[in-house]
Amino acid sequence: MATRIRPATNRAASLELIQDFSLEMTGKDITALTEAKDHIPPRTRINITFLGNEDLEMRVAAARMVRDLGFVPVPHISARRLKSREQLEEFLGRLQEVGASEHVLVVGGDPATPEGPYEDSLAIIRSGVLQQFGVREVGIGGYPEGHPDIPQETLWRALEDKTAALAEQDLGASILTQFSFDTDPVADWIDAVRARGINAPIRVGTPGPAGIKRLLGFARRFGVGANAMIVKKYGFSLTNLMGDAGPDRFVNDLAAVLAEHTPGPQPHIGGRIGLHFYTFGGLSATADWVRQFVSEQG
């Protein structure tokens, strides 16, 4: 998929932001990962989703392949999809066997009602199970544009509680945000995170290059803002959804905003801020876009 890369206003900042980016795959994407491997930098973090239509073997096989290809696996754990503590222990045990348990991302998950003993990601963090299987760093979710089903106050309290619980258990923390098309709420949210004294690294969710219709479909599904002004700002057309779109405007604009904050008592100062690409258009398309972006900004 070819997308035209727009020049950055601050090339150094854009290159800094995209350094050490991470990617996302499902358990069904092993073939796609194998095809894209030569275009992905070694030691890139690759998140493996925990979907309801995938099973243990698929998730573990994907994590093993990520590790075998020289990347860093970050398996997801969906709290409300787990039917028992034993199921959590089995999953983590299998991940440890294939060398893929050091980094995980813990999310609540889609089911409104828990299928087992874990009502949310905090319950898993507080269970003490993670450390038993070699977990060293835990990713947690962040929502710069809010969540369609959760009040903002609840989201902030959860973020504070989870980072505090991870610190108490001597586990590393990182924050992965829902994807966005608009830099303004992302930058404001990062300010608010740092103002609360949360200095964990943040990976800003970024939609990888894909068809416009597909991108907007995912935005509606996940409650992400994609109003007419944002669509126009980032080069989409609501009257013509047949084209493709890349995230270069979003990446360049976010980099420029973050670069405006100079060293000192600024809310942005804290852990590293990087990018996580949701690969809606495929792993190869996203990896190729990153290579082209770095080449043209360098």
Side-chain angles (χ1 to χ4, degrees):
M1 179 183 301
T3 55
R4 183 172 62 86
I5 304 296
R6 296 171 176 84
T9 57
N10 187 329
R11 292 189 175 188
S14 292
L15 289 171
E16 171 66 21
L17 181 63
I18 205 170
Q19 266 190 356
D20 190 33
F21 66 91
S22 55
L23 298 168
E24 187 147 319
M25 66 177 286
T26 74
K28 300 176 182 178
D29 289 335
I30 289 178
T31 300
L33 177 63
T34 303
E35 293 171 351
K37 64 181 176 61
D38 293 334
H39 296 175
I40 302 173
R43 302 295 299 166
T44 295
R45 290 185 179 219
I46 300 182
N47 288 32
I48 303 119
T49 56
F50 195 109
L51 302 177
N53 61 355
E54 297 174 355
D55 58 23
L56 174 67
E57 298 305 324
M58 293 177 66
R59 296 167 188 143
V60 173
R64 180 193 292 114
M65 181 59 70
V66 169
R67 185 215 60 191
D68 288 349
L69 291 176
F71 308 123
V72 178
V74 185
H76 292 194
I77 302 172
S78 180
R80 286 188 288 274
R81 290 193 186 280
L82 292 169
K83 294 178 172 57
S84 65
R85 180 184 176 106
E86 289 72 25
Q87 186 181 22
L88 172 60
E89 291 177 342
E90 180 184 19
F91 182 44
L92 289 169
R94 293 288 303 280
L95 291 175
Q96 189 174 38
E97 287 175 4
V98 301
S101 66
E102 289 191 4
H103 307 272
V104 299
L105 177 78
V106 183
V107 298
D110 292 334
T113 302
E115 297 176 15
Y118 305 110
E119 64 177 356
D120 54 25
S121 54
L122 183 59
I124 288 183
I125 292 170
R126 286 176 170 168
S127 71
V129 174
L130 299 177
Q131 301 93 315
Q132 298 174 25
F133 295 91
V135 175
R136 295 192 299 108
E137 182 189 74
V138 179
I140 55 179
Y143 299 89
E145 296 188 66
H147 189 288
D149 301 319
I150 304 175
Q152 193 68 29
E153 183 177 317
T154 302
L155 290 173
W156 281 120
R157 185 168 62 250
L159 187 64
E160 292 170 340
D161 289 346
K162 283 183 280 191
T163 52
L166 290 169
E168 290 168 3
Q169 298 184 51
D170 199 27
L171 287 169
S174 62
I175 302 170
L176 174 63
T177 80
Q178 180 58 277
F179 74 91
S180 178
F181 295 119
D182 189 5
T183 56
D184 291 337
V186 173
D188 291 344
W189 181 84
I190 293 173
D191 280 339
V193 170
R194 298 303 189 224
R196 284 170 165 77
I198 299 172
N199 291 318
I202 296 172
R203 290 181 179 270
V204 176
T206 307
I212 294 171
K213 186 175 182 179
R214 184 175 178 82
L215 286 173
L216 295 180
F218 275 105
R220 287 190 293 270
R221 176 181 171 187
F222 293 110
V224 173
N227 62 42
M229 290 302 295
I230 297 304
V231 166
K232 182 177 179 181
K233 179 179 178 182
Y234 288 95
F236 299 175
S237 170
L238 289 176
T239 57
N240 179 11
L241 302 181
M242 299 305 293
D244 299 329
D248 40 298
R249 286 190 180 182
F250 176 82
V251 173
N252 287 333
D253 288 357
L254 181 61
V257 169
L258 297 180
E260 292 175 359
H261 292 256
T262 55
Q266 297 289 341
H268 280 310
I269 302 303
R272 171 171 167 74
I273 298 170
L275 299 177
H276 174 80
F277 289 99
Y278 291 94
T279 55
F280 300 136
L283 283 160
S284 290
T286 304
D288 287 344
W289 180 90
V290 172
R291 282 162 57 101
Q292 182 185 357
F293 180 87
V294 171
S295 173
E296 296 197 13
Q297 304 299 347

